[in-house]
Amino acid sequence: MALRLPLACEPRRILSDEQRIAWLRLIRTPNVGPVTFRELLNHCGGAEAALAALPELARRGGKGQSVRICTRPQAQRELELAAKAGARLVALEEPGYPRLLARIEAPPPLIYVKGERAIAERPMLAIVGARDASAAGRKITRTLAAALGAEGLVIVSGLARGIDAAAHEAALASGTVAVLAGGIDIVYPPEHARLQAAIGETGLLVAESPPGFEPRGQDFPRRNRIVSGMALGVLVVEAAKRSGSRITARFALEQGREVMAVPGNPLDPRAEGTNALLKEGATLVTEAGDVISVLEPILGAVALPMTAAEPAGEDAQPVELRIPETDRERVVEALGLHPTEIDEIARATGLDIRVVRIVLVELDLAGRLERHPGGMVSRTP
């Protein structure tokens, strides 16, 4: 029997055109990441109000220069480029936003999608691995991807050379999702132009970056986080000890996803990462049934309501807080170069957690804060 997701919860809303532009302007403003985006919406009651509050919040955080807010024409131009590429901007909570991705810590508020958007409602498995994959590695990848696709799983990967490409190709007929590190209109690597075009027609392309954005080295971990976030689990086929696939597996563990690996020859450097994962407790996979036995019991959990990690939204009531400068200084003093939990900062300062969060937003907008996995923060070196 093909694997199915339970019926999804009804989406809470669909953004109006004005709200969509405001959300896009806010997330494209420097120093506004997914966490700060959420905090701003919750604090200000909406994206428009957050945009108006940005200059003062950044000033309070110690920013010497005015914040460069993304302008309305810039946002409209980005949407025009996306439409020209055949892509659509989807917001958190809207139909077409991958259900599991919406439940990770700090999900992207907005993503571009192109292709069959209904695929986002189906259960997904991520298959990742070495770019310089062996012939055997590509063969087992194609075999597993085709068999798991026949069971109803959508195969999601990062469109890289090697294992990623083999997984996408084998799952084209059953359903595959490619998460891009660059803009949705950018082909990378260049030799995957035909594969990317095919996925954009019968599968689904997903990108967090704006159209025209050329991927850089630091953008691939962010892509990997989305790959694992969309899936019920991650299957690694051939990976060096230090590799992007290992990073994807680490993200999967942080997100509460299942991690699986195909064992490899101990003498092959491309098997060091997968064999290490198996030693660390990953599920050993040699056939499709191994994956099905892991995922079947957890399929019912994906219909749970979304977590509080989502923005409260445009209907939220703004939080009115007057923060004395002495309280702001206490938060700054409690921050160190080592990542610290926000709750621990609140305990150390004796301040209300809402006050601490707003001060952290101010520091983030001023470029004086670094955010880390697990909701931890540190002072910018």
Side-chain angles (χ1 to χ4, degrees), residues 3-29:
L3 295 174
R4 301 290 183 197
L5 281 175
L7 291 177
C9 301
E10 287 297 317
R12 293 197 301 181
R13 52 103 177 275
I14 297 177
L15 295 185
S16 68
D17 291 343
E18 289 301 312
Q19 289 171 335
R20 198 175 307 278
I21 288 176
W23 274 44
L24 184 56
R25 291 181 61 198
L26 187 59
I27 196 61
R28 293 291 183 250
T29 295

Short mmCIF file of all heavy atoms in Angstrom, two decimals, residues 3-29:
data_model
loop_
_atom_site.label_atom_id
_atom_site.label_comp_id
_atom_site.label_asym_id
_atom_site.label_seq_id
_atom_site.Cartn_x
_atom_site.Cartn_y
_atom_site.Cartn_z
N LEU A 3 2.30 4.85 0.79
CA LEU A 3 2.29 5.68 1.99
C LEU A 3 1.51 6.96 1.73
O LEU A 3 1.65 7.58 0.69
CB LEU A 3 3.71 6.02 2.41
CG LEU A 3 4.59 4.84 2.84
CD1 LEU A 3 6.01 5.31 3.07
CD2 LEU A 3 4.05 4.21 4.10
N ARG A 4 0.70 7.36 2.72
CA ARG A 4 -0.10 8.58 2.59
C ARG A 4 0.05 9.42 3.84
O ARG A 4 0.19 8.90 4.95
CB ARG A 4 -1.59 8.24 2.41
CG ARG A 4 -1.89 7.38 1.19
CD ARG A 4 -1.69 8.14 -0.10
NE ARG A 4 -2.04 7.33 -1.24
CZ ARG A 4 -1.67 7.61 -2.49
NH1 ARG A 4 -0.95 8.67 -2.74
NH2 ARG A 4 -2.03 6.83 -3.48
N LEU A 5 -0.03 10.73 3.66
CA LEU A 5 -0.11 11.62 4.81
C LEU A 5 -1.55 11.71 5.27
O LEU A 5 -2.47 11.67 4.45
CB LEU A 5 0.36 13.02 4.43
CG LEU A 5 1.86 13.27 4.35
CD1 LEU A 5 2.10 14.68 3.84
CD2 LEU A 5 2.52 13.10 5.69
N PRO A 6 -1.80 11.83 6.58
CA PRO A 6 -3.16 12.09 7.05
C PRO A 6 -3.63 13.44 6.52
O PRO A 6 -2.82 14.25 6.06
CB PRO A 6 -2.99 12.13 8.58
CG PRO A 6 -1.70 11.44 8.86
CD PRO A 6 -0.84 11.70 7.67
N LEU A 7 -4.91 13.69 6.59
CA LEU A 7 -5.44 14.96 6.12
C LEU A 7 -4.78 16.11 6.86
O LEU A 7 -4.63 16.08 8.08
CB LEU A 7 -6.96 15.00 6.33
CG LEU A 7 -7.78 14.05 5.43
CD1 LEU A 7 -9.24 14.14 5.81
CD2 LEU A 7 -7.57 14.38 3.97
N ALA A 8 -4.40 17.13 6.12
CA ALA A 8 -3.72 18.28 6.73
C ALA A 8 -4.71 19.17 7.44
O ALA A 8 -5.89 19.21 7.10
CB ALA A 8 -3.00 19.08 5.63
N CYS A 9 -4.20 19.90 8.43
CA CYS A 9 -5.02 20.92 9.08
C CYS A 9 -5.30 22.03 8.07
O CYS A 9 -4.47 22.32 7.21
CB CYS A 9 -4.28 21.51 10.29
SG CYS A 9 -3.86 20.27 11.53
N GLU A 10 -6.44 22.66 8.17
CA GLU A 10 -6.77 23.74 7.25
C GLU A 10 -5.80 24.90 7.44
O GLU A 10 -5.47 25.25 8.56
CB GLU A 10 -8.20 24.22 7.53
CG GLU A 10 -9.27 23.26 7.06
CD GLU A 10 -9.25 23.06 5.56
OE1 GLU A 10 -9.09 24.05 4.82
OE2 GLU A 10 -9.38 21.91 5.11
N PRO A 11 -5.31 25.50 6.34
CA PRO A 11 -4.44 26.66 6.49
C PRO A 11 -5.18 27.80 7.18
O PRO A 11 -6.38 27.98 7.00
CB PRO A 11 -4.09 27.04 5.04
CG PRO A 11 -5.15 26.40 4.21
CD PRO A 11 -5.57 25.17 4.93
N ARG A 12 -4.47 28.54 7.98
CA ARG A 12 -5.12 29.57 8.77
C ARG A 12 -5.43 30.82 7.97
O ARG A 12 -6.32 31.56 8.30
CB ARG A 12 -4.23 29.94 9.97
CG ARG A 12 -4.11 28.79 10.96
CD ARG A 12 -3.60 29.25 12.27
NE ARG A 12 -2.31 29.86 12.16
CZ ARG A 12 -1.62 30.33 13.19
NH1 ARG A 12 -2.14 30.26 14.40
NH2 ARG A 12 -0.43 30.86 13.04
N ARG A 13 -4.68 31.05 6.90
CA ARG A 13 -4.97 32.24 6.12
C ARG A 13 -4.17 32.25 4.83
O ARG A 13 -3.27 31.46 4.64
CB ARG A 13 -4.64 33.49 6.94
CG ARG A 13 -3.24 33.49 7.53
CD ARG A 13 -2.29 34.36 6.77
NE ARG A 13 -1.01 34.35 7.45
CZ ARG A 13 -0.73 35.15 8.46
NH1 ARG A 13 -1.61 36.00 8.90
NH2 ARG A 13 0.47 35.10 9.02
N ILE A 14 -4.54 33.15 3.96
CA ILE A 14 -3.81 33.43 2.73
C ILE A 14 -3.48 34.91 2.74
O ILE A 14 -4.35 35.75 2.97
CB ILE A 14 -4.64 33.07 1.48
CG1 ILE A 14 -4.93 31.56 1.47
CG2 ILE A 14 -3.91 33.48 0.21
CD1 ILE A 14 -5.79 31.12 0.31
N LEU A 15 -2.24 35.25 2.51
CA LEU A 15 -1.83 36.65 2.54
C LEU A 15 -2.47 37.41 1.38
O LEU A 15 -2.61 36.89 0.27
CB LEU A 15 -0.31 36.77 2.43
CG LEU A 15 0.55 36.23 3.57
CD1 LEU A 15 2.02 36.56 3.30
CD2 LEU A 15 0.13 36.79 4.91
N SER A 16 -2.83 38.65 1.65
CA SER A 16 -3.25 39.54 0.57
C SER A 16 -2.01 39.99 -0.20
O SER A 16 -0.88 39.78 0.25
CB SER A 16 -3.97 40.76 1.15
OG SER A 16 -3.05 41.57 1.88
N ASP A 17 -2.21 40.61 -1.34
CA ASP A 17 -1.07 41.09 -2.13
C ASP A 17 -0.24 42.09 -1.33
O ASP A 17 1.00 42.08 -1.38
CB ASP A 17 -1.56 41.73 -3.42
CG ASP A 17 -2.15 40.72 -4.39
OD1 ASP A 17 -1.88 39.51 -4.21
OD2 ASP A 17 -2.88 41.13 -5.31
N GLU A 18 -0.91 42.97 -0.58
CA GLU A 18 -0.19 43.97 0.22
C GLU A 18 0.60 43.31 1.34
O GLU A 18 1.73 43.69 1.62
CB GLU A 18 -1.18 44.99 0.79
CG GLU A 18 -1.76 45.94 -0.24
CD GLU A 18 -0.67 46.75 -0.95
OE1 GLU A 18 0.20 47.30 -0.25
OE2 GLU A 18 -0.70 46.81 -2.19
N GLN A 19 0.01 42.32 1.99
CA GLN A 19 0.72 41.62 3.05
C GLN A 19 1.92 40.86 2.50
O GLN A 19 2.99 40.85 3.11
CB GLN A 19 -0.23 40.65 3.76
CG GLN A 19 -1.28 41.32 4.61
CD GLN A 19 -2.33 40.33 5.11
OE1 GLN A 19 -2.56 39.29 4.50
NE2 GLN A 19 -2.96 40.66 6.23
N ARG A 20 1.76 40.27 1.32
CA ARG A 20 2.86 39.52 0.71
C ARG A 20 4.04 40.43 0.42
O ARG A 20 5.20 40.07 0.65
CB ARG A 20 2.36 38.83 -0.57
CG ARG A 20 3.26 37.69 -1.05
CD ARG A 20 2.63 37.00 -2.25
NE ARG A 20 1.26 36.59 -1.96
CZ ARG A 20 0.94 35.47 -1.31
NH1 ARG A 20 1.89 34.66 -0.90
NH2 ARG A 20 -0.31 35.18 -1.08
N ILE A 21 3.77 41.60 -0.10
CA ILE A 21 4.85 42.56 -0.39
C ILE A 21 5.51 43.01 0.91
O ILE A 21 6.74 43.12 0.99
CB ILE A 21 4.30 43.77 -1.18
CG1 ILE A 21 3.97 43.35 -2.61
CG2 ILE A 21 5.32 44.92 -1.18
CD1 ILE A 21 3.34 44.44 -3.44
N ALA A 22 4.72 43.25 1.94
CA ALA A 22 5.27 43.67 3.23
C ALA A 22 6.14 42.58 3.83
O ALA A 22 7.23 42.85 4.36
CB ALA A 22 4.16 44.06 4.19
N TRP A 23 5.68 41.31 3.76
CA TRP A 23 6.48 40.20 4.27
C TRP A 23 7.80 40.11 3.50
O TRP A 23 8.86 39.90 4.10
CB TRP A 23 5.70 38.88 4.11
CG TRP A 23 4.77 38.56 5.22
CD1 TRP A 23 3.91 39.40 5.84
CD2 TRP A 23 4.60 37.27 5.83
NE1 TRP A 23 3.19 38.72 6.81
CE2 TRP A 23 3.59 37.43 6.82
CE3 TRP A 23 5.18 36.02 5.63
CZ2 TRP A 23 3.18 36.35 7.62
CZ3 TRP A 23 4.76 34.95 6.42
CH2 TRP A 23 3.78 35.12 7.41
N LEU A 24 7.72 40.27 2.18
CA LEU A 24 8.92 40.16 1.35
C LEU A 24 9.89 41.29 1.67
O LEU A 24 11.11 41.08 1.79
CB LEU A 24 8.54 40.18 -0.13
CG LEU A 24 9.67 39.98 -1.13
CD1 LEU A 24 10.42 38.69 -0.87
CD2 LEU A 24 9.12 40.00 -2.56
N ARG A 25 9.39 42.50 1.82
CA ARG A 25 10.26 43.63 2.18
C ARG A 25 10.95 43.40 3.52
O ARG A 25 12.14 43.69 3.68
CB ARG A 25 9.44 44.92 2.23
CG ARG A 25 8.92 45.44 0.90
CD ARG A 25 8.14 46.73 1.10
NE ARG A 25 9.01 47.76 1.66
CZ ARG A 25 8.58 48.87 2.26
NH1 ARG A 25 7.27 49.05 2.42
NH2 ARG A 25 9.43 49.75 2.71
N LEU A 26 10.20 42.82 4.45
CA LEU A 26 10.76 42.63 5.79
C LEU A 26 11.86 41.56 5.79
O LEU A 26 12.94 41.79 6.34
CB LEU A 26 9.63 42.22 6.75
CG LEU A 26 10.01 42.13 8.24
CD1 LEU A 26 10.54 43.46 8.75
CD2 LEU A 26 8.80 41.68 9.06
N ILE A 27 11.62 40.42 5.14
CA ILE A 27 12.62 39.36 5.17
C ILE A 27 13.83 39.71 4.30
O ILE A 27 14.92 39.16 4.50
CB ILE A 27 11.99 38.01 4.73
CG1 ILE A 27 12.90 36.84 5.11
CG2 ILE A 27 11.71 38.01 3.23
CD1 ILE A 27 13.16 36.68 6.59
N ARG A 28 13.68 40.61 3.33
CA ARG A 28 14.81 41.00 2.49
C ARG A 28 15.61 42.17 3.09
O ARG A 28 16.61 42.59 2.52
CB ARG A 28 14.31 41.41 1.09
CG ARG A 28 13.73 40.26 0.29
CD ARG A 28 14.79 39.26 -0.13
NE ARG A 28 14.21 38.22 -0.97
CZ ARG A 28 14.04 36.96 -0.59
NH1 ARG A 28 14.42 36.59 0.63
NH2 ARG A 28 13.50 36.07 -1.41
N THR A 29 15.19 42.68 4.23
CA THR A 29 15.94 43.76 4.89
C THR A 29 17.13 43.17 5.63
O THR A 29 17.00 42.14 6.29
CB THR A 29 15.01 44.51 5.87
OG1 THR A 29 13.97 45.16 5.12
CG2 THR A 29 15.78 45.56 6.66
#
